[in-house]
Amino acid sequence: MKPKVLILRTAGTNCDAETDVAFQLAGAETDLVHIQNLISTKTNLSDYQILAIPGGFSYGDDIAAGILLAVEMKHKLKKALHQFVDDKKLIIGICNGFQVLVRTGLLPGTELNPQNDNEETAQSTTLAMNTSAKFECRWVELVTQQSPCIFTKGIKQHLYLPVAHAEGRFTAPPNVLTELETNNQIVLRYGNGTKLSTEKTAYPHNPNGSDADIAGICDITGRIFGLMPHPERFLTKWNHPRWTREELPDEGDGLAIFKNAVNYAITNLK
């Protein structure tokens, strides 16, 4: 039986179709669901094994990128989200979805508290305006880090994926960055792996100026994953910008991320 993936939609979401294709190619059954259907319980999150929050500009990124969707999820879906996490199910947030996850506190991994609806979930990191002060749209090299992340288990060390964002600069206080390093929660970094560890990857290879070149992180369990690059935009070699000039494998670098999630769900979840 195929695992079921809920791809969350709201006003301004624009990468849902690509994410849908990615999970279908990976072997999952998918539903594109508007958040109002979850809030009204017309659709139940508990019926799914994977939650995907795709890229885009949810609610026009008013106030800050992803913040309005994050507030809506924290206050209207708190119990459902807590149960989903407690059931050891998977969550991925891509680009705007990553922004949502850090603003809900689901990343780096703050516990939701369903017993107290008035309690705010702490936010310890953020995704701020790019240091270039402009929208960055380019393909970047990434280095996979040692981490517990389910989505990147066993994938190759060097990835090539596109980014497209204005608020993608991952930043956090020094103590939080140290904790992320200690817990191996940093999943992806910008760069090709040739620089010294004390150096920071220069623009445009680090397209947004993220602290410690961070492009993606997971929670301590590895089941919640957020990243700024778009794996759903490189599923086959024909998505690659140089596919007519290079010999490339049929499968794009991004597809393995979705396959890992589906395989985990098949093996571990009902």
Side-chain angles (χ1 to χ4, degrees), residues 205-228:
H205 306 289
N206 179 338
N208 45 51
S210 287
D211 294 349
D213 301 325
I214 293 172
I217 64 170
C218 66
D219 72 331
I220 58 173
T221 72
R223 294 191 295 269
I224 304 175
F225 179 37
L227 71 165
M228 287 310 298

PDB file of all heavy atoms in Angstrom, residues 205-228:
ATOM      1  N   HIS A 205      27.882  31.619  -4.278  1.00  0.00           N
ATOM      2  CA  HIS A 205      27.767  30.188  -3.980  1.00  0.00           C
ATOM      3  C   HIS A 205      26.963  29.955  -2.700  1.00  0.00           C
ATOM      4  O   HIS A 205      26.227  28.979  -2.597  1.00  0.00           O
ATOM      5  CB  HIS A 205      29.155  29.577  -3.892  1.00  0.00           C
ATOM      6  CG  HIS A 205      29.979  29.836  -5.117  1.00  0.00           C
ATOM      7  ND1 HIS A 205      29.711  29.235  -6.326  1.00  0.00           N
ATOM      8  CD2 HIS A 205      31.037  30.662  -5.335  1.00  0.00           C
ATOM      9  CE1 HIS A 205      30.566  29.668  -7.231  1.00  0.00           C
ATOM     10  NE2 HIS A 205      31.378  30.527  -6.664  1.00  0.00           N
ATOM     11  N   ASN A 206      27.139  30.827  -1.717  1.00  0.00           N
ATOM     12  CA  ASN A 206      26.180  30.938  -0.616  1.00  0.00           C
ATOM     13  C   ASN A 206      25.269  32.088  -1.027  1.00  0.00           C
ATOM     14  O   ASN A 206      25.632  33.254  -0.882  1.00  0.00           O
ATOM     15  CB  ASN A 206      26.887  31.224   0.699  1.00  0.00           C
ATOM     16  CG  ASN A 206      25.928  31.380   1.875  1.00  0.00           C
ATOM     17  OD1 ASN A 206      24.752  31.680   1.692  1.00  0.00           O
ATOM     18  ND2 ASN A 206      26.425  31.188   3.081  1.00  0.00           N
ATOM     19  N   PRO A 207      24.093  31.796  -1.570  1.00  0.00           N
ATOM     20  CA  PRO A 207      23.296  32.830  -2.245  1.00  0.00           C
ATOM     21  C   PRO A 207      22.645  33.840  -1.318  1.00  0.00           C
ATOM     22  O   PRO A 207      22.178  34.884  -1.774  1.00  0.00           O
ATOM     23  CB  PRO A 207      22.234  32.026  -2.987  1.00  0.00           C
ATOM     24  CG  PRO A 207      22.068  30.796  -2.154  1.00  0.00           C
ATOM     25  CD  PRO A 207      23.425  30.484  -1.611  1.00  0.00           C
ATOM     26  N   ASN A 208      22.606  33.536  -0.016  1.00  0.00           N
ATOM     27  CA  ASN A 208      21.862  34.400   0.895  1.00  0.00           C
ATOM     28  C   ASN A 208      22.636  34.870   2.118  1.00  0.00           C
ATOM     29  O   ASN A 208      22.143  35.661   2.903  1.00  0.00           O
ATOM     30  CB  ASN A 208      20.587  33.685   1.368  1.00  0.00           C
ATOM     31  CG  ASN A 208      20.869  32.245   1.770  1.00  0.00           C
ATOM     32  OD1 ASN A 208      21.774  31.976   2.556  1.00  0.00           O
ATOM     33  ND2 ASN A 208      20.095  31.315   1.225  1.00  0.00           N
ATOM     34  N   GLY A 209      23.872  34.361   2.298  1.00  0.00           N
ATOM     35  CA  GLY A 209      24.677  34.753   3.440  1.00  0.00           C
ATOM     36  C   GLY A 209      24.362  34.013   4.719  1.00  0.00           C
ATOM     37  O   GLY A 209      24.652  34.499   5.821  1.00  0.00           O
ATOM     38  N   SER A 210      23.799  32.811   4.623  1.00  0.00           N
ATOM     39  CA  SER A 210      23.407  32.043   5.805  1.00  0.00           C
ATOM     40  C   SER A 210      24.576  31.807   6.750  1.00  0.00           C
ATOM     41  O   SER A 210      25.704  31.553   6.320  1.00  0.00           O
ATOM     42  CB  SER A 210      22.844  30.679   5.393  1.00  0.00           C
ATOM     43  OG  SER A 210      21.573  30.798   4.824  1.00  0.00           O
ATOM     44  N   ASP A 211      24.298  31.871   8.050  1.00  0.00           N
ATOM     45  CA  ASP A 211      25.280  31.511   9.063  1.00  0.00           C
ATOM     46  C   ASP A 211      25.756  30.083   8.813  1.00  0.00           C
ATOM     47  O   ASP A 211      24.937  29.179   8.552  1.00  0.00           O
ATOM     48  CB  ASP A 211      24.676  31.578  10.471  1.00  0.00           C
ATOM     49  CG  ASP A 211      24.292  32.989  10.887  1.00  0.00           C
ATOM     50  OD1 ASP A 211      24.680  33.947  10.189  1.00  0.00           O
ATOM     51  OD2 ASP A 211      23.602  33.121  11.919  1.00  0.00           O
ATOM     52  N   ALA A 212      27.073  29.880   8.912  1.00  0.00           N
ATOM     53  CA  ALA A 212      27.662  28.547   8.778  1.00  0.00           C
ATOM     54  C   ALA A 212      27.263  27.858   7.475  1.00  0.00           C
ATOM     55  O   ALA A 212      27.275  26.624   7.397  1.00  0.00           O
ATOM     56  CB  ALA A 212      27.293  27.675   9.986  1.00  0.00           C
ATOM     57  N   ASP A 213      26.902  28.653   6.465  1.00  0.00           N
ATOM     58  CA  ASP A 213      26.534  28.122   5.142  1.00  0.00           C
ATOM     59  C   ASP A 213      25.341  27.172   5.190  1.00  0.00           C
ATOM     60  O   ASP A 213      25.186  26.299   4.333  1.00  0.00           O
ATOM     61  CB  ASP A 213      27.716  27.391   4.488  1.00  0.00           C
ATOM     62  CG  ASP A 213      28.923  28.281   4.292  1.00  0.00           C
ATOM     63  OD1 ASP A 213      28.733  29.473   4.009  1.00  0.00           O
ATOM     64  OD2 ASP A 213      30.053  27.782   4.433  1.00  0.00           O
ATOM     65  N   ILE A 214      24.451  27.338   6.165  1.00  0.00           N
ATOM     66  CA  ILE A 214      23.359  26.390   6.373  1.00  0.00           C
ATOM     67  C   ILE A 214      22.275  26.548   5.300  1.00  0.00           C
ATOM     68  O   ILE A 214      21.699  27.618   5.132  1.00  0.00           O
ATOM     69  CB  ILE A 214      22.753  26.554   7.776  1.00  0.00           C
ATOM     70  CG1 ILE A 214      23.785  26.145   8.834  1.00  0.00           C
ATOM     71  CG2 ILE A 214      21.478  25.726   7.922  1.00  0.00           C
ATOM     72  CD1 ILE A 214      23.358  26.442  10.259  1.00  0.00           C
ATOM     73  N   ALA A 215      22.003  25.443   4.607  1.00  0.00           N
ATOM     74  CA  ALA A 215      20.959  25.419   3.581  1.00  0.00           C
ATOM     75  C   ALA A 215      19.757  24.593   4.013  1.00  0.00           C
ATOM     76  O   ALA A 215      18.674  24.730   3.439  1.00  0.00           O
ATOM     77  CB  ALA A 215      21.518  24.848   2.283  1.00  0.00           C
ATOM     78  N   GLY A 216      19.943  23.729   5.028  1.00  0.00           N
ATOM     79  CA  GLY A 216      18.844  22.895   5.506  1.00  0.00           C
ATOM     80  C   GLY A 216      19.178  22.287   6.847  1.00  0.00           C
ATOM     81  O   GLY A 216      20.340  21.981   7.126  1.00  0.00           O
ATOM     82  N   ILE A 217      18.159  22.130   7.688  1.00  0.00           N
ATOM     83  CA  ILE A 217      18.342  21.522   9.010  1.00  0.00           C
ATOM     84  C   ILE A 217      17.206  20.522   9.265  1.00  0.00           C
ATOM     85  O   ILE A 217      16.177  20.544   8.586  1.00  0.00           O
ATOM     86  CB  ILE A 217      18.363  22.566  10.154  1.00  0.00           C
ATOM     87  CG1 ILE A 217      17.003  23.275  10.264  1.00  0.00           C
ATOM     88  CG2 ILE A 217      19.498  23.554   9.976  1.00  0.00           C
ATOM     89  CD1 ILE A 217      16.854  24.143  11.513  1.00  0.00           C
ATOM     90  N   CYS A 218      17.413  19.673  10.269  1.00  0.00           N
ATOM     91  CA  CYS A 218      16.357  18.776  10.714  1.00  0.00           C
ATOM     92  C   CYS A 218      16.191  18.900  12.217  1.00  0.00           C
ATOM     93  O   CYS A 218      17.003  19.533  12.893  1.00  0.00           O
ATOM     94  CB  CYS A 218      16.670  17.321  10.337  1.00  0.00           C
ATOM     95  SG  CYS A 218      18.113  16.614  11.164  1.00  0.00           S
ATOM     96  N   ASP A 219      15.124  18.310  12.747  1.00  0.00           N
ATOM     97  CA  ASP A 219      14.989  18.242  14.195  1.00  0.00           C
ATOM     98  C   ASP A 219      15.872  17.106  14.710  1.00  0.00           C
ATOM     99  O   ASP A 219      16.519  16.403  13.923  1.00  0.00           O
ATOM    100  CB  ASP A 219      13.519  18.060  14.600  1.00  0.00           C
ATOM    101  CG  ASP A 219      12.988  16.666  14.300  1.00  0.00           C
ATOM    102  OD1 ASP A 219      13.478  16.030  13.338  1.00  0.00           O
ATOM    103  OD2 ASP A 219      12.097  16.210  15.020  1.00  0.00           O
ATOM    104  N   ILE A 220      15.916  16.904  16.030  1.00  0.00           N
ATOM    105  CA  ILE A 220      16.850  15.921  16.568  1.00  0.00           C
ATOM    106  C   ILE A 220      16.471  14.489  16.196  1.00  0.00           C
ATOM    107  O   ILE A 220      17.317  13.602  16.241  1.00  0.00           O
ATOM    108  CB  ILE A 220      16.988  16.066  18.102  1.00  0.00           C
ATOM    109  CG1 ILE A 220      15.633  15.913  18.799  1.00  0.00           C
ATOM    110  CG2 ILE A 220      17.651  17.378  18.461  1.00  0.00           C
ATOM    111  CD1 ILE A 220      15.739  15.886  20.303  1.00  0.00           C
ATOM    112  N   THR A 221      15.222  14.263  15.820  1.00  0.00           N
ATOM    113  CA  THR A 221      14.813  12.918  15.414  1.00  0.00           C
ATOM    114  C   THR A 221      15.132  12.631  13.955  1.00  0.00           C
ATOM    115  O   THR A 221      15.143  11.470  13.537  1.00  0.00           O
ATOM    116  CB  THR A 221      13.306  12.705  15.613  1.00  0.00           C
ATOM    117  OG1 THR A 221      12.581  13.449  14.625  1.00  0.00           O
ATOM    118  CG2 THR A 221      12.864  13.118  17.008  1.00  0.00           C
ATOM    119  N   GLY A 222      15.346  13.675  13.169  1.00  0.00           N
ATOM    120  CA  GLY A 222      15.576  13.513  11.742  1.00  0.00           C
ATOM    121  C   GLY A 222      14.312  13.374  10.921  1.00  0.00           C
ATOM    122  O   GLY A 222      14.363  13.215   9.701  1.00  0.00           O
ATOM    123  N   ARG A 223      13.143  13.473  11.573  1.00  0.00           N
ATOM    124  CA  ARG A 223      11.876  13.270  10.862  1.00  0.00           C
ATOM    125  C   ARG A 223      11.257  14.565  10.349  1.00  0.00           C
ATOM    126  O   ARG A 223      10.312  14.530   9.558  1.00  0.00           O
ATOM    127  CB  ARG A 223      10.887  12.537  11.767  1.00  0.00           C
ATOM    128  CG  ARG A 223      11.310  11.105  12.097  1.00  0.00           C
ATOM    129  CD  ARG A 223      10.189  10.343  12.771  1.00  0.00           C
ATOM    130  NE  ARG A 223       9.843  10.903  14.077  1.00  0.00           N
ATOM    131  CZ  ARG A 223      10.389  10.525  15.232  1.00  0.00           C
ATOM    132  NH1 ARG A 223      11.332   9.599  15.244  1.00  0.00           N
ATOM    133  NH2 ARG A 223      10.002  11.069  16.360  1.00  0.00           N
ATOM    134  N   ILE A 224      11.743  15.711  10.811  1.00  0.00           N
ATOM    135  CA  ILE A 224      11.269  17.004  10.333  1.00  0.00           C
ATOM    136  C   ILE A 224      12.441  17.688   9.639  1.00  0.00           C
ATOM    137  O   ILE A 224      13.513  17.855  10.228  1.00  0.00           O
ATOM    138  CB  ILE A 224      10.736  17.876  11.481  1.00  0.00           C
ATOM    139  CG1 ILE A 224       9.623  17.140  12.239  1.00  0.00           C
ATOM    140  CG2 ILE A 224      10.210  19.208  10.946  1.00  0.00           C
ATOM    141  CD1 ILE A 224       9.120  17.891  13.470  1.00  0.00           C
ATOM    142  N   PHE A 225      12.259  18.072   8.408  1.00  0.00           N
ATOM    143  CA  PHE A 225      13.353  18.567   7.561  1.00  0.00           C
ATOM    144  C   PHE A 225      12.914  19.829   6.848  1.00  0.00           C
ATOM    145  O   PHE A 225      11.831  19.872   6.256  1.00  0.00           O
ATOM    146  CB  PHE A 225      13.730  17.474   6.556  1.00  0.00           C
ATOM    147  CG  PHE A 225      14.817  17.826   5.587  1.00  0.00           C
ATOM    148  CD1 PHE A 225      15.915  18.594   5.951  1.00  0.00           C
ATOM    149  CD2 PHE A 225      14.752  17.365   4.276  1.00  0.00           C
ATOM    150  CE1 PHE A 225      16.925  18.896   5.050  1.00  0.00           C
ATOM    151  CE2 PHE A 225      15.750  17.648   3.362  1.00  0.00           C
ATOM    152  CZ  PHE A 225      16.841  18.414   3.748  1.00  0.00           C
ATOM    153  N   GLY A 226      13.759  20.852   6.915  1.00  0.00           N
ATOM    154  CA  GLY A 226      13.498  22.090   6.179  1.00  0.00           C
ATOM    155  C   GLY A 226      14.726  22.484   5.385  1.00  0.00           C
ATOM    156  O   GLY A 226      15.858  22.367   5.866  1.00  0.00           O
ATOM    157  N   LEU A 227      14.515  22.950   4.163  1.00  0.00           N
ATOM    158  CA  LEU A 227      15.623  23.379   3.321  1.00  0.00           C
ATOM    159  C   LEU A 227      15.173  24.493   2.392  1.00  0.00           C
ATOM    160  O   LEU A 227      14.000  24.555   1.999  1.00  0.00           O
ATOM    161  CB  LEU A 227      16.187  22.211   2.521  1.00  0.00           C
ATOM    162  CG  LEU A 227      15.362  21.621   1.367  1.00  0.00           C
ATOM    163  CD1 LEU A 227      16.271  20.736   0.483  1.00  0.00           C
ATOM    164  CD2 LEU A 227      14.172  20.805   1.834  1.00  0.00           C
ATOM    165  N   MET A 228      16.109  25.382   2.058  1.00  0.00           N
ATOM    166  CA  MET A 228      15.794  26.458   1.130  1.00  0.00           C
ATOM    167  C   MET A 228      15.871  26.030  -0.337  1.00  0.00           C
ATOM    168  O   MET A 228      15.044  26.451  -1.142  1.00  0.00           O
ATOM    169  CB  MET A 228      16.704  27.664   1.379  1.00  0.00           C
ATOM    170  CG  MET A 228      16.375  28.445   2.635  1.00  0.00           C
ATOM    171  SD  MET A 228      14.620  28.915   2.812  1.00  0.00           S
ATOM    172  CE  MET A 228      14.383  29.966   1.384  1.00  0.00           C
TER     173      MET A 228
END
